[in-house]
C-alpha cells in the first residue's frame, strides 16, 4: 500500500508543478520530505487538499477509490474550461464546466471548492446571457479560483 501512495503523491506533485510552474522545487521538497517533515497518510494528505476525508470514505468506501478519483480530479479539464468560458462570456459553456466541477468536488468531499463551484453554477443556471453581469461572474470565478488553488495547490 505504501508504494501505491508514493505513486499517488508523485502524480499529484507532477500536476502541481504544471499548475504552479514550480521552478524552484518547493512542492517537490514538500512531497519528498512530507508536509511538516513527516510522512503523510492519505487522510492527512486529503485534508491538506481542503477535503473531508471521513465524508469521502463514507461515499467511496475505501482509500483505493479515493486515490483513483483524486488523481482523475487532477486531470479534469472543468476548471480550465470554466475560466476560459467566463473570460469569453460564454455562459452556457461556463455553466456546464461549473456544474461538472461542482459535482466532482462534492463527490470527493472538497468542501470549499464544492461550495464555490455551486455558487457560480446556480448563478449561471438557466442564464440567457442577461441575468448575470460579467462582473458578477468574474467575482464568483475568483471564489472558485481561490478554493481550487487551495484544493489543488495546497
Amino acid at each position: 500500500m505504501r508504494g501505491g501512495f508514493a505513486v499517488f503523491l508523485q502524480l499529484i506533485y507532477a500536476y502541481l508543478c504544471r499548475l504552479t510552474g514550480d521552478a524552484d522545487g518547493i512542492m517537490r521538497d514538500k512531497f519528498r520530505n512530507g508536509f511538516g517533515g513527516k510522512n503523510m497518510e492519505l487522510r492527512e494528505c486529503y485534508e491538506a487538499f481542503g477535503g473531508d476525508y471521513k465524508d469521502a470514505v463514507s461515499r467511496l468506501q475505501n482509500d483505493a477509490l479515493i486515490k483513483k478519483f483524486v488523481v482523475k480530479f487532477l486531470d479534469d479539464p472543468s476548471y480550465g474550461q470554466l475560466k476560459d468560458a467566463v473570460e469569453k462570456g460564454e455562459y452556457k459553456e461556463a455553466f456546464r464546466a461549473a456544474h461538472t466541477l461542482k459535482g466532482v468536488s462534492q463527490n470527493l468531499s472538497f468542501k470549499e471548492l464544492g461550495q464555490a463551484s455551486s455558487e457560480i453554477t446556480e448563478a449561471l443556471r438557466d442564464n440567457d446571457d442577461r441575468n448575470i453581469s460579467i462582473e458578477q461572474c468574474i467575482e464568483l470565478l475568483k471564489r472558485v479560483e481561490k478554493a481550487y488553488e487551495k484544493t489543488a495547490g495546497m
Side-chain angles (χ1 to χ4, degrees):
M1 190 74 165
R2 278 281 187 207
F5 187 64
V7 171
F8 170 69
L9 289 178
Q10 288 172 350
L11 289 170
I12 293 171
Y13 164 69
Y15 173 77
L16 291 175
C17 287
R18 278 195 333 250
L19 179 72
T20 63
D22 183 27
D24 57 4
I26 293 169
M27 291 305 297
R28 179 193 66 233
D29 293 340
K30 284 184 178 182
F31 277 97
R32 182 179 292 152
N33 301 323
F35 289 86
K38 64 179 181 170
N39 290 327
M40 293 180 71
E41 297 296 324
L42 178 59
R43 177 187 54 77
E44 295 168 310
C45 183
Y46 198 83
E47 288 169 358
F49 274 70
D52 181 341
Y53 176 75
K54 190 174 182 178
D55 186 55
V57 169
S58 73
R59 181 174 290 112
L60 298 174
Q61 303 298 313
N62 63 59
D63 286 359
L65 278 176
I66 293 171
K67 289 176 191 176
K68 176 181 175 179
F69 289 111
V70 167
V71 170
K72 286 183 181 244
F73 166 79
L74 296 174
D75 290 329
D76 183 80
S78 302
Y79 173 68
Q81 292 169 344
L82 173 60
K83 287 180 61 172
D84 290 343
V86 169
E87 288 172 7
K88 294 175 183 174
E90 297 173 350
Y91 292 151
K92 289 180 183 179
E93 290 301 316
F95 169 78
R96 280 191 207 79
H99 190 265
T100 301
L101 185 60
K102 175 184 106 169
V104 170
S105 300
Q106 290 177 341
N107 282 320
L108 288 171
S109 301
F110 293 152
K111 299 299 184 185
E112 290 180 36
L113 183 55
Q115 179 62 39
S117 55
S118 180
E119 290 171 7
I120 196 168
T121 297
E122 294 311 312
L124 292 167
R125 186 179 300 280
D126 299 323
N127 191 324
D128 62 3
D129 295 340
R130 290 176 282 163
N131 297 338
I132 183 172
S133 70
I134 190 67
E135 292 81 15
Q136 291 169 314
C137 201
I138 289 171
E139 186 59 37
L140 290 169
L141 180 61
K142 286 179 185 177
R143 293 181 197 166
V144 172
E145 288 173 335
K146 182 178 177 184
Y148 187 87
E149 289 170 6
K150 180 178 179 185
T151 301
M154 287 186 257

